[in-house]
């Protein structure tokens, strides 16, 4: 799951969009793009590969404007090509998306039957096409996005801008994280507003963010931001201060992020353990009050990619020190399997970013009731719904 940045600005946004995307580069991506509102509609620049390719594209064909969205893509539907790179555009609608639209094939078939012509292979383009169709049917942008959200299923963080709307950006979240950043308010009472899939992307622009909850839709203008929950009721999401540590977002002296991660392992482990060790007696603090490991008959570790490799180390340690059998599952397979569960297992979902779509989907698949999930994100130490440990009895 990759990166989103949106800016409702009072000065040119293009460079800031790319700078925001650069802060998300550590997550990996295969292509990138920006869309900026122009007097005659939204214009896009997209490129395959690293942000430098997008910078080259922008240098050859500059783009400036006061409102825009940017995206780094990790392809799930359709190859890493320029046509599949985000943003995606249909009618007056331009959108960026992180996640997966599970019912995209049905929607695409329906739209195609209705005459829609697709320019990409992505699941995301159906979102733009549905929203454009809603607007063609007479809905205003806010109502059109709300109606679109009612048609799509899956995991998404979405940010929309619209041709001719120079004071409107709409964001929505279901299963993929999204934060709203509040800029300084000027004498006229207007603020620049920001949207990011990760507060780190916003750290250079805004120190105050609200995290959307699943089901939320945020309507941003310079004067006011309204957040609506799934039922359409206006809600207030707490505003938090961002404490961004630069080590997390730049490559430092290393050539690439992989080298940085390898050489930073001692520091990362020290950071991760910092809040977990009782420095008086040298023992670990109790990690999760309420989870009784003594009743468990096994541990199931669920993860993807590097986190999956890390689980193999955890298996050695848990089996050696706790004498509990450990099974390791790949998250992307997990929700499609018939699981033989005793009800006494402890499942631990491991994610490097806390946002891995397949891992979160596996978590939600197994444990419907979110209130029974014990959550903890390391090394940040804050409770979060993005990393979780759950007892089998609480399914
Ligand atoms: N599913 C979308 C695509 O393949 C978004 C992928 C992402 O999160 O970057 O374009």
């Amino acid at each position: 799951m990759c990166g989103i940045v949106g800016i409702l600005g009072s000065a040119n946004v293009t460079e800031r969009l790319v700078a925001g995307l650069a802060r998300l580069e550590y997550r990996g991506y295969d292509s990138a793009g920006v869309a900026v509102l122009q007097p005659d509609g939204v214009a896009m620049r997209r490129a395959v590969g690293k942000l430098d390719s997008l910078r080259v594209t922008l240098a050859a064909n500059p783009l400036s404007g006061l409102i825009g969205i940017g995206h780094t893509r990790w392809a799930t539907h359709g190859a890493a090509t320029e046509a599949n790179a985000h943003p995606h555009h249909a009618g007056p609608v331009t959108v960026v998306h992180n996640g997966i639209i599970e019912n995209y094939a049905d929607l695409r078939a329906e739209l195609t039957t209705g005459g829609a012509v697709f320019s990409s292979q992505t699941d995301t383009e159906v979102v733009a096409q549905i929203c454009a169709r809603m607007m063609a049917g007479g809905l205003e942008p806010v109502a059109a996005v709300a109606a679109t959200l009612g048609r799509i299923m899956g995991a998404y963080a979405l940010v929309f801008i619209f041709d001719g709307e120079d004071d409107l950006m709409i964001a929505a979240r279901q299963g993929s994280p999204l934060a709203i950043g509040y800029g300084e308010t000027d004498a006229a009472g207007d603020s620049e507003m920001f949207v990011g899939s990760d507060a780190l992307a916003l750290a250079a622009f805004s120190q105050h963010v609200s995290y959307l909850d699943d089901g939320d839709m945020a309507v941003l203008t310079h004067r006011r931001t309204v957040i609506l929950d799934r039922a359409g009721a206006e809600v207030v999401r707490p505003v938090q201060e961002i404490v961004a540590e630069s080590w997390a977002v730049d490559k430092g002296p290393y050539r690439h992020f992989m080298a940085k991660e390898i050489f930073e392992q001692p520091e990362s482990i020290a950071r991760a353990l910092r809040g977990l060790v009782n420095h008086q007696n040298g023992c670990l603090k109790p990690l999760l009050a309420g989870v009784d490991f003594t009743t468990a008959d096994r541990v199931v570790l669920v993860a993807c990619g590097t986190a999956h490799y890390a689980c193999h180390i955890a298996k050695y340690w848990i089996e050696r020190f706790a004498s509990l059998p450990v099974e390791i599952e790949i998250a992307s397979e997990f929700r499609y399997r018939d699981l033989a569960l005793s009800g006494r297992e402890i499942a631990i979902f491991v994610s490097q970013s806390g946002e891995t779509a397949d891992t979160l989907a596996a978590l939600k698949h197994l444990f419907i009731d979110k209130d029974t999930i014990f959550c903890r994100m390391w090394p940040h130490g804050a409770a979060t719904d993005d990393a979780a440990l759950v007892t089998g009895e609480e399914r």
Side-chain angles (χ1 to χ4, degrees):
M1 202 180 298
C2 286
I4 286 180
V5 181
I7 306 179
L8 187 67
S10 52
N12 183 26
V13 294
T14 315
E15 274 180 24
R16 289 186 289 166
L17 288 173
V18 177
L21 293 177
R23 295 175 74 85
L24 299 174
E25 274 195 295
Y26 71 96
R27 299 149 72 110
Y29 60 102
D30 53 47
S31 52
V34 292
V36 176
L37 182 66
Q38 310 286 288
D40 58 348
V42 171
M44 303 192 293
R45 303 284 184 267
R46 302 180 294 184
V48 175
K50 294 293 166 200
L51 277 180
D52 277 342
S53 308
L54 181 62
R55 290 188 183 101
V56 169
T57 304
L58 282 165
N61 282 301
L63 201 54
S64 66
L66 300 181
I67 164 168
I69 48 183
H71 187 264
T72 46
R73 176 176 189 239
W74 190 295
T76 63
H77 293 64
T81 61
E82 190 180 324
N84 288 336
H86 299 213
H88 288 284
H89 186 76
V93 180
T94 306
V95 67
V96 287
H97 165 222
N98 279 351
I100 294 169
I101 306 299
E102 299 281 3
N103 59 336
Y104 90 100
D106 292 345
L107 293 172
R108 190 174 167 123
E110 177 191 317
L111 289 157
T112 306
T113 306
V117 177
F118 282 79
S119 56
S120 79
Q121 301 160 309
T122 63
D123 51 339
T124 304
E125 197 184 344
V126 300
V127 178
Q129 295 273 6
I130 292 175
C131 193
R133 196 174 68 172
M134 300 288 181
M135 290 183 70
L139 293 184
E140 294 298 316
V142 174
V145 171
T148 303
L149 300 180
R151 296 292 324 272
I152 58 177
M153 286 167 10
Y156 51 80
L158 294 164
V159 184
F160 298 81
I161 57 174
F162 304 88
D163 291 0
E165 297 282 351
D166 60 3
D167 191 18
L168 180 66
M169 183 177 282
I170 302 178
R173 169 197 164 145
Q174 176 63 47
S176 300
L178 207 53
I180 308 285
Y182 299 84
E184 301 293 324
T185 305
D186 66 17
D190 288 346
S191 314
E192 288 200 305
M193 293 298 302
F194 306 90
V195 180
S197 52
D198 182 325
L200 285 174
L202 305 182
F205 315 128
S206 166
Q207 265 62 63
H208 296 98
V209 301
S210 295
Y211 294 92
L212 296 184
D213 271 6
D214 274 351
D216 284 355
M217 174 174 120
V219 180
L220 292 84
T221 64
H222 285 103
R223 211 28 89 83
R224 187 152 183 258
T225 291
V226 176
I227 303 177
L228 305 168
D229 69 10
R230 196 187 302 282
E234 192 170 332
V235 284
V236 175
R237 300 295 174 216
V239 178
Q240 303 174 18
E241 203 169 335
I242 317 177
V243 186
E245 297 179 64
S246 61
W247 65 271
V249 290
D250 62 49
K251 289 198 279 257
Y254 304 103
R255 277 186 53 220
H256 41 70
F257 281 106
M258 186 187 284
K260 179 175 188 271
E261 284 183 14
I262 291 168
F263 286 101
E264 276 186 351
Q265 281 179 21
E267 188 190 347
S268 300
I269 291 170
R271 278 177 192 274
L273 292 178
R274 200 164 47 191
L276 305 178
V277 175
N278 178 336
H279 294 282
Q280 304 294 325
N281 60 15
C283 293
L284 284 177
K285 293 177 187 168
L287 297 186
L288 289 155
V291 179
D292 184 0
F293 283 83
T294 61
T295 61
D297 61 2
R298 64 183 167 143
V299 172
V300 182
L301 302 176
V302 187
C304 291
T306 309
H308 182 258
Y309 298 141
C311 288
H312 286 268
I313 306 278
K315 175 179 167 73
Y316 286 176
W317 289 349
I318 294 169
E319 289 182 346
R320 177 168 170 200
F321 295 111
S323 302
L324 268 174
V326 174
E327 281 168 28
I328 302 170
E329 298 276 349
I330 297 197
S332 50
E333 306 289 325
F334 190 66
R335 64 190 157 129
Y336 303 109
R337 296 206 320 107
D338 292 325
L339 300 160
L341 297 171
S342 68
R344 294 202 299 129
E345 44 280 296
I346 286 178
I348 302 179
F349 294 78
V350 184
S351 161
Q352 210 177 179
S353 62
E355 297 165 11
T356 312
D358 282 321
T359 308
L360 290 175
L363 171 66
K364 284 184 180 149
H365 170 70
L366 195 54
F367 303 104
I368 307 299
D369 182 358
K370 223 172 154 200
D371 295 339
T372 62
I373 297 173
F374 293 84
C375 305
R376 181 123 196 201
M377 173 84 98
W378 294 289
H380 307 298
T384 168
D385 62 354
D386 291 337
L389 189 153
V390 192
T391 63
E393 281 155 359
E394 289 169 324
R395 267 193 323 279

